[in-house]
Amino acid sequence: MDSFYTDQTQVIAMFTKSFNEVMASEFISLTGGVLAGFLLSFATDKLYLIPGLFILFPGFMEMRGNISGSMSARITSGLYVGAMKSRKQRRHIIDGNAGAAIGLGVALSVMLGVLAYVVSHFFFGVDSFAIIPVAIIAALLANVIEIPMTIAATLWLFKKGHDPNNIMGPYVTTVGDIVSVLALLIAIWVVV
Amino acid sequence: MSHTITKRDIKALAKLKRHKHHHLVHKIHKKHRISYKTLFYMKEYGPKSHVATVIIKESIKILILASVISSAGGFQMKNIESTLIQFLPLLILLPALNDMIGDFGTVASSKFTTLLFLGKVKKSWWGTPEVREIIKTMLAVAAISAVYIGALAYVIAVGKGFAFSTVMLAKTVMLSLLATATLTGIVLIISIVCGIWVYKRKEDPNNFLIPITTSLADVCSMFVLAYLAMLLF
């Protein structure tokens, strides 16, 4: 009977800790999502300068979240299984992850840019080649800011005794949303 | 008959294709007491592997698919544009709801993958206390978050000049709750079923689950939101 109560207490404690971590990060994430929309609403006139941007937009945001989210999850798994105990191992895995994230980000941006160009050409009859360089510049800018932030936050959270899995998902999408919107706006400013 | 592990054996192991098993994995596990999960992780991302190449090879197809699916979601968004513009709280709710479901996809997938790597998922995943704990946590967070964004979207819309009505506020919160419950359920099922399937194929579910759950959540959220908007408003 005692062990039943001990088990129940452990499960409740585990649930409460997990709930608090996810809830806190989700609250910040939702507020961040509103902030991203708020930022975007200030530049609606600029968004019309590049036709096809609204087709690129959801895919670009999704891609940023996917790349950083998977990277954080891989690093977390490595931390949990003890594959990153030595400095050399940690460097090997982190460098590899950062390299892959940069490569994937640039390759997928080119693809999304081309897709947005093709869709706007065939479905809306608009030719806007500028969408491709906008996508590439935005991806490079977003990579430079987002990847180091994601790696640092994952390692720091694990070091402080938190489960990065609970926090990094919402963190990545919040930072990703804000950084992606900013990167796209800067890229439009550079290209146009 | 005993077999000592030599450097040559280790090199042979490192060169082995990822989908093949080797008797040395079992021997290393027995002799050095290193878990199969750690050995699997090291096989993927160990000192002899080129981490970036492994990740790119495994992720590129699914990321392309996820990005294309999300772009399709953007196309669908254009179709419900008029409904969204007419009803301002819905327009404000859309990005936050989309973001939130994506977050749940990432959290559920990464937590479930960690459980798989730690070997805590039993044959019947439903009977695993840790999996049930993930489900309970996600549903509780989803319910609170749905009420929060529903109410916040309405308040912001009123602040921007939308007429206040208690019935409309209740409908907005109801829409947010129903959409979140449906989408969280979809995300959890995809994370668990696909996670087990990918892990059984000796691949890292982290490289598949997050892109697939978030992109499907994106597309589903557009459809669920559009259907509920037509039903409630």
Side-chain angles (χ1 to χ4, degrees), chain A residues 15 18-19 26-27 29-31 62 66 70 73-74 77-78 81 83 92 96-97 108 111 165-166 169 173 177, chain B residues 38 41-42 45-46 49 51-52 55 63-64 70 99-100 103 106 110-111 114 133 137 148 206-207 211 214-215 218:
Chain A
F15 174 81
S18 211
F19 174 82
E26 196 54 44
F27 183 78
S29 169
L30 294 173
T31 313
E62 174 69 22
N66 283 340
S70 299
R74 276 191 300 268
S77 296
V81 298
H92 174 70
N97 270 281
L108 287 166
M111 191 214 78
N165 287 328
N166 287 343
T173 46
D177 281 358
Chain B
T38 306
Y41 192 90
M42 292 308 285
Y45 309 120
S49 76
V51 178
I55 295 167
L63 283 171
I64 289 173
S70 292
D99 199 17
M100 181 176 73
D103 290 349
T106 310
S110 55
K111 278 173 86 73
T114 302
E133 189 245 323
T137 308
Y148 171 67
N206 285 320
N207 293 338
T214 49
S215 57
D218 269 2

Side-chain angles (χ1 to χ4, degrees), chain A residues 54-71:
Chain A
F54 282 104
I55 300 160
L56 170 80
F57 201 70
F60 187 81
M61 304 276 275
E62 174 69 22
M63 175 199 73
R64 299 288 341 139
N66 283 340
I67 292 174
S68 304
S70 299
M71 182 176 72

Side-chain angles (χ1 to χ4, degrees), chain B residues 140-174:
Chain B
V141 173
I144 297 169
S145 302
V147 174
Y148 171 67
I149 57 167
L152 188 67
Y154 199 84
V155 169
I156 292 169
V158 169
K160 289 196 91 177
F162 191 81
F164 179 80
S165 148
T166 319
V167 177
M168 281 297 175
L169 171 65
K171 277 188 174 182
T172 309
V173 174
M174 175 82 84

